[in-house]
């Protein structure tokens, strides 16, 4: 018997890092996904074939975290591999890089594939909880935003908590974005720890930044509802500034953000954990999307063109 499952990639539009402390954030699934396949073997334990395409060093850098993550998923699902084992294969069209939700997509895909393999028929809510445990392998104290986007798809308002708040934001027409990959693999866990340390050292300064981040989330939600992309772009630019202030941007991220804006993107910011990884640029219309993507590629960086706001991305 075999099992198969899918998890979407994601782009955080507002408030990565701030979300770890309960500030509302907005995230969208993207139209690329990881597929996991499960096959039974007659050897105990699990074996992984990771066939995903990836930024150089991504898979190597994350191998230990990945092992920990898979063990956490199996534990949460109470799967005993002491007699028969499992072979897990990862593939799909999501190119692994930092900031694009590759770890969450793989956790969700594996949880779904295991549910399928063992005929558990788990609902999305449970898949999401299992994937959240898996995410802990990659970054100790995840807010849960990535696995939520990866499980449910679409555009989501998210607030961390004992019972996290998750609301779908509906936009009438999906809007084009470009993601630009710095090619640098980043350690989310280290980025989150760095913010925590600086926040503790500078409580007043960080309070001001965090208050503004919260304010931006509400303004952005309204801008989405009103389809005011100009305002949305402005707020993304401001959000990037806050992320610079909490020191999670990098030279390459700032370069790609500026390049995108110079090329006409109405807003651009880093997305995800930062310190490397990806930027996201808001580029309504195919022509603007092409212009920005071409400019980034001309500088030697990889891009991903997709849309945000589709009801359930990739489906
Ligand atoms: C990583 O994609 C997003 C962070 O906010 C961490 C988290 O929310 O768990 C940096």
């Amino acid at each position: 018997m075999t099992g198969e499952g899918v998890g979407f990639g994601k782009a955080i539009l507002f408030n990565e890092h701030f979300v770890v402390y309960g500030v509302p954030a907005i995230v969208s699934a993207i139209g690329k996904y990881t597929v996991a396949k499960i096959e039974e073997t007659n050897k105990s334990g699990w074996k992984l074939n990771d066939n995903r395409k990836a930024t150089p060093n991504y898979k190597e850098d994350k191998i230990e975290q990945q092992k920990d993550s898979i063990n956490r998923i199996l534990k949460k699902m109470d799967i005993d591999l002491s007699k028969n084992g499992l072979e897990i294969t990862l593939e799909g069209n999501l190119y692994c890089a930092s900031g694009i939700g590759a770890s969450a997509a793989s956790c969700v895909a594996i949880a779904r594939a295991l549910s399928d393999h063992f005929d558990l028929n788990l609902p999305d809510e449970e898949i999401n909880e299992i994937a959240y445990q898996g995410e802990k392998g990659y970054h100790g104290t995840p807010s849960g935003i990535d696995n939520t986007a990866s499980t449910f798809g679409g555009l989501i308002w998210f607030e961390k908590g004992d019972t996290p708040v998750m609301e779908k934001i509906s936009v009438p027409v999906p809007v084009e974005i470009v993601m630009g990959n710095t090619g640098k693999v980043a350690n989310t866990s280290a980025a989150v720890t760095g913010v925590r340390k600086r926040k503790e050292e500078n409580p007043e300064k960080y309070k001001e930044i965090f208050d503004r981040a919260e304010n931006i989330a509400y303004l952005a939600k309204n801008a989405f509802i009103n389809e005011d992309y100009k305002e949305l772009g402005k707020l993304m630019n401001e959000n990037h500034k806050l992320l610079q202030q909490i020191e999670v941007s990098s030279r390459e991220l700032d370069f790609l953000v500026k390049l995108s804006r110079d090329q006409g993107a109405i807003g651009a910011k880093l997305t995800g954990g930062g310190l490397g990884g990806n930027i996201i640029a808001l580029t309504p219309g195919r022509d603007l999307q092409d212009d920005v993507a071409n400019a980034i590629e001309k500088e030697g960086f990889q891009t991903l063109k997709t849309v945000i706001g589709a009801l359930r991305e990739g489906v």
Side-chain angles (χ1 to χ4, degrees):
M1 205 167 69
T2 59
E4 196 168 315
V6 162
F8 301 109
K10 67 93 197 21
I12 297 181
L13 300 166
F14 292 96
N15 285 347
E16 44 276 273
H17 286 289
F18 303 110
V19 69
V20 173
Y21 300 86
V23 175
I26 299 177
V27 63
S28 178
I30 58 169
K32 303 280 175 197
Y33 49 86
T34 292
V35 179
K37 292 183 178 162
I38 305 280
E39 267 179 88
E40 205 159 282
T41 65
N42 48 19
K43 265 174 92 182
S44 65
W46 57 268
K47 175 179 178 284
L48 178 71
N49 307 312
D50 192 346
N51 300 334
R52 297 173 300 168
K53 291 208 170 63
T55 299
N57 299 325
Y58 177 91
K59 290 199 249 182
E60 295 79 353
D61 278 15
K62 306 231 178 240
I63 189 89
E64 288 309 318
Q65 296 184 342
Q66 186 178 42
K67 277 187 203 160
D68 185 20
S69 166
I70 293 175
N71 287 332
R72 285 170 186 267
I73 290 173
L74 292 166
K75 185 162 177 235
K76 173 79 181 163
M77 294 181 80
D78 256 334
I79 294 172
D80 174 14
L81 300 180
S82 56
K83 291 197 185 95
N84 291 338
L86 295 175
E87 188 164 309
I88 305 166
T89 301
L90 292 178
E91 50 199 41
N93 63 6
L94 178 68
Y95 185 92
C96 298
S98 297
I100 205 159
S103 65
S106 74
C107 292
V108 170
I110 291 170
R112 282 199 171 124
L114 289 166
S115 167
D116 185 32
H117 177 77
F118 291 107
D119 262 335
L120 303 175
N121 224 349
L122 297 179
D124 280 351
E125 287 69 23
E126 271 181 62
I127 295 293
N128 194 29
E129 278 174 27
I130 295 162
Y132 177 70
Q133 294 305 318
E135 274 282 87
K136 288 186 180 169
Y138 289 97
H139 45 117
T141 54
S143 65
I145 190 171
D146 291 6
N147 47 279
T148 299
S150 184
T151 301
F152 295 101
L155 184 62
I156 293 171
W157 170 273
F158 180 86
E159 287 173 51
K160 181 189 161 174
D162 289 339
T163 317
V165 175
M166 187 205 100
E167 281 166 26
K168 288 255 174 165
I169 302 176
S170 61
V171 290
V173 185
V175 59
E176 288 80 4
I177 60 158
V178 176
M179 296 182 77
N181 183 1
T182 61
K184 291 258 156 77
V185 179
N187 184 337
T188 308
S189 193
V192 170
T193 306
V195 172
R196 171 153 299 128
K197 183 168 171 282
R198 290 185 292 276
K199 186 172 181 292
E200 279 165 12
E201 285 165 3
N202 306 285
E204 272 157 40
K205 176 180 162 195
Y206 271 62
K207 182 175 183 317
E208 237 172 74
I209 300 171
F210 273 58
D211 285 350
R212 182 58 191 155
E214 176 158 4
N215 192 230
I216 284 178
Y218 287 98
L219 295 171
K221 190 182 189 181
N222 275 338
F224 261 119
I225 291 165
N226 298 329
E227 281 180 277
D228 186 348
Y229 293 125
K230 230 173 137 190
E231 169 74 358
L232 208 57
K234 227 176 73 193
L235 292 168
M236 283 170 72
N237 290 343
E238 205 189 323
N239 208 209
H240 183 69
K241 219 178 257 169
L242 299 183
L243 291 161
Q244 285 176 319
Q245 287 169 9
I246 63 168
E247 298 179 44
V248 292
S249 194
S250 71
R251 199 166 46 86
E252 293 86 357
L253 286 165
D254 289 344
F255 172 77
L256 290 181
V257 161
K258 180 168 186 310
L259 181 65
S260 303
R261 291 178 191 157
D262 289 350
Q263 212 55 42
I266 54 179
K269 61 182 276 292
L270 72 83
T271 185
L275 302 180
N278 271 267
I279 63 125
I280 175 174
L282 188 64
T283 55
R286 285 277 175 86
D287 290 345
L288 181 55
Q289 187 185 38
D290 284 341
D291 286 351
V292 171
N294 290 342
I296 294 175
E297 282 170 19
K298 230 170 112 193
E299 293 291 334
F301 297 92
Q302 242 181 10
T303 63
L304 169 66
K305 293 189 276 188
T306 185
V307 293
I308 52 169
L311 258 187
R312 182 159 177 148
E313 269 295 345
V315 176

